[in-house]
Amino acid sequence: MSEMDKRFDPRSYEARWQRFWAEGEFFVCPAPSERPPYCIMIPPPNVTGKLHMGHALQSTLQDLLTRWRRMQGYNALWLPGTDHAGIATQLMVERELAREGTDRHALGRERFLERMWRWKGQYHGNIRRQLDRLGASCDWTRERFTLDEGLSRAVREAFVRLHSEGLIYRGEYIVNWSTGLDTAISDLEVEMRSVEDRLWHVAYPLEGGDERVVVATTRPETMLGDVAIAYHPEDERYRHLAGRRALVPVAGRAVPFVADEVVEREFGSGLVKVTPAHDPADFEIGRRHGLAGLQVIDRRGRMTEAAGERFAGLTVDEARDRVVAELRAAGLLVREERYVHNVGFCQRSGVRVQPLVSTQWFCDVSGMAPRALAALREGELELVPESWGKTWEHWLSGIRPWCISRQLWWGHQIPAWYDEAGRCFVALDREEAARAAGTAPDRLTQDPDVLDTWFSSALWPFSTLGWPDDTVDLRTFYPTSVLVTGFDILFFWVARMVMTGLHFTGRSPFARVHLTGLVRDAEGQKMSKTKGNVLDPEELIEEYGADAVRFTLAQLDSPGRDIPLDAERMAGYRAFGNKIWNATRFALSRVGEARVASDLTLEGLALPERWILARVSEVAGRVDRHFEDFRFDLACSELYHLFWSDFCDWYIEMAKPGLDGESARPRVGEVTLTVLDRALRLLHPVMPFLTEELWQRLPGHESVSARTICLAPYPGPEAGWTPPESDAEQIELLRRVVAIVRNERADQKAPPRAAAELWIAPGAGAEAAERFLLSPSTLPLLRALCGVERIHREEPPAGALHRHPVSGLVVAPVFEHAEGGVDPARLRAQLVEVEEALTRARARLENPAFLSKAPEAVVAGARRSVEELAQKRTRLAESLAAAGAAP
């Protein structure tokens, strides 16, 4: 390879290695295989979409896990694909048609779908390009699309089977209706917003007397569809109304009173109007009491003829104003008040959702839900973090029929056909339906609706592997190993995959689910275009490099917490990459003929080499455990400190005397390269591009018999790299002495290269420490690390400002050209500053909220900060005392 550039620039190698991996087919997974299977299915992004930070987070974690397992010898498949995203994609094309002055109805269904497929073909490549830039190691030979022929066949098969079992049926039910899209929409496509409305208290006269009751409502226009008034059966205020009737104001229609336990006695007057055609709760009340609904709002959001001649054709808002005016004129408006509540809006069109009763296709999943609950309870399925188990129980215990039909054209058209008499035949294709109907295929009309996008997505883990056929892929990779997705679709997607997987295959589609938090801005605010705080993954990759983006996202992922993303943090991790680059470049320039060693043991090695190999072994074990537990934040913290602190800041400096021939230490070059080899392999799942670029440059890396670091064995703990217990104590002593000298140099503002000497005075009981520090093997290290010319074994001279006790010894450095000795005023100012910082740091650690919510690595860092500040305060106080000044 070419000589390493002095300048660190990820753009110079990232695309090159992605091409190398693709051309080498390193991510293609054979089936069957002797290697154990490991499979992750990508949560399919919208086919025409642009990856956002949530996609970047989840893709990073999926790729990290796949690379890790691949290096451990698994037949690791990360299966990619995209979702047709019915409403979202159709909207894009409809907007394009609108700009051209036409619409889908003018084109007709066939020509419109041709246009949709052209759009898909034009933009489909964006997803792969973006994933490639992030470093995704997908097996693109297995890429799937939810509308491709194989998955469409699986969808038809599932629909027909469920229908034959009586679990899919067509009927009337209340749904979320988007008047902006002219279709039913799922709960996920409803965005709840806090809205300031009015709460109107309306008087309903009782039939046959002067008595009246008061009912509160936020939607007075729906009064025109009232069919009853409900009260709680234990509410003594209204028991006397049983069998009586009230007159609906404005409409003048008499309606009965009904007792129902769903009524909240504390809300308003304790009475609620029942409008089954326009409220989900009222719809259920109507069913329980045999009340027929009266639809007064149509699919366009206008009042129907059933609302009365004065209101027919008005918009909902216009009707509301007229109803309120008539109530006020009739003296039936008791009062109105400001009322803030949550209202559903269509996520795509932005208009208020209208609950409407509509004839739709439904799937009864009440029988599947208990099996999904049992899968979690019995350990077949694991949710991480486990706290989501309560939500799982809550949602699946109270599950309702799933409305699976949509009034769209882009999607899986429902496999149901109608004959001229209106009879319905569900079948795999038109010919099968015709045979069942006993008629010619061209005499049948297919249901115009399409299936909810989530229906095909629910089959994703097994349909992508060839189901309903018994394929080699299905036998090899199903059930899959892990699902990584956002908690916000736990019910809408994860639960449905588990239910359908158990129903059709008898097994949970995955063993473990890691639920990520939401990616927010640095202030913890939700990202949105209106706030202007949206971060684009591609722009971040362009600026900081893919590895820095990946490391940031992985380091911030902590189970159960949202992710506050600050671009400045990525700048810090780009600097981390730069540090590794420079350390590798330095090592390669100094190791001579040394090569990565495969036979290293600690025997015969000096302390620094034994210590760094032991550290690599320890970190390997910890990182592996953290990956296993989805504690990516802790794994990244371990890797960061191994590289930045242990290797770059300490070992490289310790190695210099050995590499330069100043001390006769064996195999320093081999240890340096071997540590780099192991550390780069440990880091590879998180930062694949940088590690490949540097690993390929290590002389002897080919000893692992792999063309790429992607296939090199993932390091684990080395049994032969366990050092004597005294090694850790000696390294800690050495580092403490070096830290004293470095801190003194900074405090006294001595120039970095100013001549210095170090005094080490013996003390009682400190023979072992003295023997180690002043040994022929340690002295070169001390001189190099401390930047001192001479080391004296005697009491410090009068010119030494501080005498530091260390393990029974007294350590004191003396610098030439320090800034005019001691300035008490400056030291006092520094002491005040340090004490204030120490107070703040301690208060943070005493805050229960911080300790319970902050990642472990952050808490550990805060504790280290307190220790360092306390040490600095002690040094400053000693400096003032030595100068004869009061603190």
Side-chain angles (χ1 to χ4, degrees):
M1 296 184 71
S2 61
E3 185 178 348
M4 282 184 70
D5 198 317
K6 292 181 180 179
R7 189 170 61 94
F8 171 64
D9 182 10
R11 289 172 296 187
S12 69
Y13 56 79
E14 287 186 347
R16 171 163 46 86
W17 287 120
Q18 191 69 31
R19 285 194 304 272
F20 172 75
W21 295 329
E23 291 166 2
E25 299 184 342
F26 301 128
F27 309 141
V28 175
C29 296
S33 171
E34 293 181 357
R35 291 179 291 153
Y38 184 82
C39 181
I40 294 180
M41 296 288 177
I42 195 170
N46 292 359
V47 67
T48 61
K50 183 177 177 64
L51 295 185
H52 53 64
M53 290 311 303
H55 290 127
L57 166 67
Q58 291 162 20
S59 297
T60 292
L61 301 184
Q62 291 166 70
D63 187 60
L64 184 161
L65 290 168
T66 305
R67 288 178 181 272
W68 168 57
R69 288 302 196 197
R70 185 183 293 120
M71 294 176 75
Q72 288 186 325
Y74 286 80
N75 188 26
L77 169 63
W78 183 18
L79 192 147
T82 48
D83 191 279
H84 66 280
I87 291 177
T89 310
Q90 180 164 319
L91 258 182
M92 288 184 177
V93 176
E94 289 205 63
R95 286 170 182 162
E96 191 175 79
L97 291 175
R99 288 193 292 270
E100 296 170 9
T102 185
D103 59 28
R104 63 179 164 122
H105 300 289
L107 261 66
R109 187 167 192 145
E110 186 175 345
R111 287 179 59 203
F112 178 75
L113 289 177
E114 290 174 0
R115 182 74 173 257
M116 292 292 305
W117 280 101
R118 285 202 304 273
W119 176 277
K120 181 260 180 187
Q122 181 180 354
Y123 291 101
H124 162 254
N126 284 348
I127 296 297
R128 174 164 186 181
R129 178 183 56 76
Q130 292 170 84
L131 285 171
D132 278 350
R133 290 209 67 185
L134 192 63
S137 62
C138 301
D139 181 352
W140 289 101
T141 66
R142 285 183 165 85
E143 182 185 7
R144 305 307 300 266
F145 174 51
T146 50
L147 275 180
D148 68 28
E149 180 49 43
L151 269 65
S152 295
R153 176 171 164 249
V155 166
R156 293 192 297 270
E157 178 75 25
F159 188 98
V160 170
R161 285 195 198 180
L162 291 170
H163 181 267
S164 68
E165 295 166 10
L167 299 179
I168 283 182
Y169 57 92
R170 192 166 182 258
E172 277 197 340
Y173 202 81
I174 196 154
V175 297
N176 302 309
W177 190 266
S178 170
T179 57
L181 302 177
D182 194 27
T183 181
I185 58 176
S186 71
D187 289 343
L188 184 63
E189 292 154 333
V190 177
E191 181 181 284
M192 302 306 294
R193 301 180 194 169
S194 180
V195 173
E196 182 177 330
D197 267 337
R198 310 298 292 175
L199 184 64
W200 286 274
H201 297 260
V202 181
Y204 283 62
L206 266 59
E207 189 178 48
D210 296 330
E211 190 180 354
R212 58 187 198 172
V213 294
V214 176
V215 177
T217 179
T218 59
R219 303 179 67 202
E221 70 281 2
T222 62
M223 289 171 52
L224 303 172
D226 286 358
V227 298
I229 296 176
Y231 60 90
H232 194 281
E234 295 178 3
D235 194 333
E236 296 181 359
R237 293 174 296 174
Y238 302 118
R239 282 180 177 173
H240 69 285
L241 296 176
R244 304 214 29 205
R245 300 201 304 174
L247 298 175
V248 178
V250 181
R253 185 174 56 255
V255 297
F257 286 92
V258 296
D260 198 285
E261 291 184 351
V262 77
V263 178
E264 296 179 19
R265 284 174 280 185
E266 297 77 20
F267 178 76
S269 63
L271 293 172
V272 296
K273 54 195 277 315
V274 181
T275 318
H278 300 291
D279 185 273
D282 293 2
F283 180 82
E284 298 296 342
I285 293 175
R287 278 190 160 187
R288 286 193 289 272
H289 296 277
L291 302 169
L294 184 64
Q295 185 165 334
V296 294
I297 302 172
D298 67 15
R299 290 169 40 156
R300 300 170 305 143
R302 291 185 175 273
M303 307 305 287
T304 67
E305 291 184 2
E309 186 177 344
R310 303 192 308 281
F311 301 95
L314 297 181
T315 66
V316 167
D317 289 341
E318 291 168 344
R320 177 177 299 180
D321 291 342
R322 182 168 293 183
V323 167
V324 170
E326 292 194 14
L327 288 172
R328 187 173 284 114
L332 297 175
L333 185 60
V334 178
R335 73 177 191 277
E336 61 181 279
E337 59 186 285
R338 175 179 170 274
Y339 186 68
V340 178
H341 63 143
N342 288 326
V343 176
F345 287 78
C346 174
Q347 193 179 61
R348 301 290 177 183
S349 67
V351 301
R352 277 201 190 201
V353 168
Q354 288 294 340
L356 293 183
V357 174
S358 175
T359 300
Q360 303 283 346
W361 288 90
F362 296 90
C363 182
D364 179 4
V365 290
S366 59
M368 302 182 200
R371 296 185 68 187
L373 286 166
L376 185 66
R377 291 169 185 160
E378 296 169 9
E380 184 179 0
L381 173 70
E382 178 188 1
L383 299 181
V384 180
E386 63 180 10
S387 56
W388 283 105
K390 294 179 181 178
T391 305
W392 184 265
E393 293 274 345
H394 173 72
W395 277 342
L396 290 177
S397 297
I399 202 163
R400 297 192 305 171
W402 173 16
C403 176
I404 58 174
S405 50
R406 297 290 180 269
Q407 289 63 55
L408 303 169
W409 289 355
W410 175 244
H412 296 278
Q413 193 167 352
I414 289 174
W417 286 264
Y418 303 92
D419 65 9
E420 292 169 343
R423 293 183 304 164
C424 179
F425 300 91
V426 171
L428 292 172
D429 53 41
R430 182 182 292 271
E431 288 67 28
E432 184 180 293
R435 288 193 294 273
T439 188
D442 60 359
R443 304 293 292 273
L444 297 178
T445 302
Q446 188 172 0
D447 194 302
D449 289 354
V450 300
L451 286 166
D452 177 11
T453 298
W454 295 104
F455 189 90
S456 54
S457 297
L459 312 177
W460 183 254
F462 48 95
S463 64
T464 51
L465 296 172
W467 185 90
D469 296 332
D470 181 23
T471 64
V472 173
D473 273 5
L474 192 64
R475 291 195 299 273
T476 301
F477 295 109
Y478 188 87
T480 67
S481 308
V482 171
L483 175 72
V484 178
T485 190
F487 72 83
D488 51 328
I489 51 175
L490 175 61
F491 177 69
F492 301 104
W493 189 42
V494 180
R496 287 167 178 168
M497 283 191 288
V498 173
M499 287 190 289
T500 57
L502 288 166
H503 187 81
F504 289 116
T505 73
R507 293 179 291 179
S508 174
F510 23 74
R512 308 175 77 196
V513 182
H514 174 55
L515 296 162
T516 67
L518 298 178
V519 181
R520 299 182 179 273
D521 70 11
E523 306 303 320
Q525 299 296 311
K526 185 177 180 180
M527 291 188 185
S528 69
K529 291 179 181 178
T530 55
K531 292 179 182 176
N533 62 349
V534 174
L535 295 175
D536 183 330
E538 281 202 277
E539 291 178 3
L540 294 172
I541 290 171
E542 185 66 26
E543 185 170 357
Y544 302 109
D547 288 324
V549 173
R550 290 169 60 108
F551 196 95
T552 303
L553 293 170
Q555 203 281 329
L556 288 173
D557 181 73
S558 183
R561 297 183 179 92
D562 285 344
I563 294 165
L565 187 61
D566 185 354
E568 286 301 310
R569 186 181 285 264
M570 291 186 189
Y573 291 130
R574 188 186 190 283
F576 176 51
N578 184 61
K579 183 95 167 178
I580 298 170
W581 179 274
N582 288 334
T584 305
R585 183 169 169 273
F586 169 81
L588 292 176
S589 72
R590 298 290 188 93
V591 295
E593 299 301 315
R595 300 173 66 81
V596 173
S598 58
D599 60 345
L600 270 179
T601 65
L602 301 189
E603 186 176 354
L605 297 183
L607 173 64
E609 284 65 58
R610 296 197 305 268
W611 168 73
I612 193 63
L613 290 174
R615 282 292 296 137
V616 170
S617 180
E618 291 167 12
V619 170
R622 290 179 190 149
V623 168
D624 193 65
R625 288 194 300 275
H626 292 326
F627 282 167
E628 187 73 51
D629 296 337
F630 303 120
R631 291 308 306 264
F632 306 109
D633 54 337
L634 301 183
C636 288
S637 180
E638 291 279 358
L639 292 166
Y640 183 88
H641 288 293
L642 173 67
F643 260 111
W644 191 289
S645 177
D646 294 336
F647 184 70
C648 297
D649 285 354
W650 286 102
Y651 181 70
I652 286 289
E653 295 302 316
M654 293 181 193
K656 285 178 180 178
L659 293 172
D660 295 340
E662 295 177 15
S663 63
R665 283 165 35 202
R667 308 186 75 174
V668 176
E670 288 178 81
V671 170
T672 301
L673 291 175
T674 302
V675 168
L676 267 174
D677 164 64
R678 298 296 180 93
L680 289 171
R681 283 192 268 154
L682 283 171
L683 182 61
H684 174 73
V686 193
M687 302 181 87
F689 293 114
L690 173 65
T691 52
E692 185 79 85
E693 174 72 12
L694 298 180
W695 186 79
Q696 293 282 357
R697 295 177 178 276
L698 301 183
H701 74 271
E702 59 275 6
S703 63
V704 299
S705 302
R707 287 178 57 201
T708 167
I709 194 173
C710 301
L711 303 181
Y714 197 74
E718 285 283 349
W721 289 3
T722 304
E725 290 184 11
S726 60
D727 277 12
E729 296 172 3
Q730 290 177 348
I731 284 290
E732 178 59 25
L733 175 58
L734 179 64
R735 290 171 68 159
R736 286 175 65 192
V737 172
V738 173
I740 286 169
V741 177
R742 290 177 177 177
N743 289 330
E744 280 283 320
R745 187 182 293 273
D747 289 347
Q748 296 184 40
K749 295 191 176 179
R753 298 190 181 278
E757 298 182 41
L758 178 63
W759 272 262
I760 300 178
E767 291 81 7
E770 179 187 350
R771 200 163 41 246
F772 163 67
L773 286 175
L774 299 176
S775 68
S777 59
T778 307
L779 284 172
L781 281 177
L782 266 180
R783 282 194 291 268
L785 295 173
C786 296
V788 298
E789 296 177 351
R790 288 186 295 276
I791 299 176
H792 307 274
R793 181 182 176 275
E794 57 188 64
E795 287 293 324
L801 294 180
H802 302 122
R803 298 163 59 90
H804 299 272
V806 179
S807 298
L809 303 172
V810 174
V811 176
V814 175
F815 304 95
E816 288 185 12
H817 310 298
E819 256 188 28
V822 175
D823 178 356
R826 176 173 61 84
L827 290 177
R828 286 194 190 95
Q830 289 180 354
L831 184 60
V832 169
E833 185 179 324
V834 168
E835 286 180 335
E836 289 176 351
L838 183 58
T839 300
R840 291 194 299 271
R842 282 176 170 164
R844 193 181 187 202
L845 282 175
E846 292 167 1
N847 182 350
F850 171 72
L851 294 175
S852 63
K853 295 179 180 179
E856 289 179 24
V858 174
V859 175
R863 290 198 172 104
R864 283 195 300 274
S865 179
V866 166
E867 291 172 7
E868 291 166 2
L869 287 167
Q871 291 169 5
K872 190 167 185 179
R873 183 185 64 176
T874 300
R875 289 199 310 274
L876 289 168
E878 288 174 352
S879 297
L880 281 166

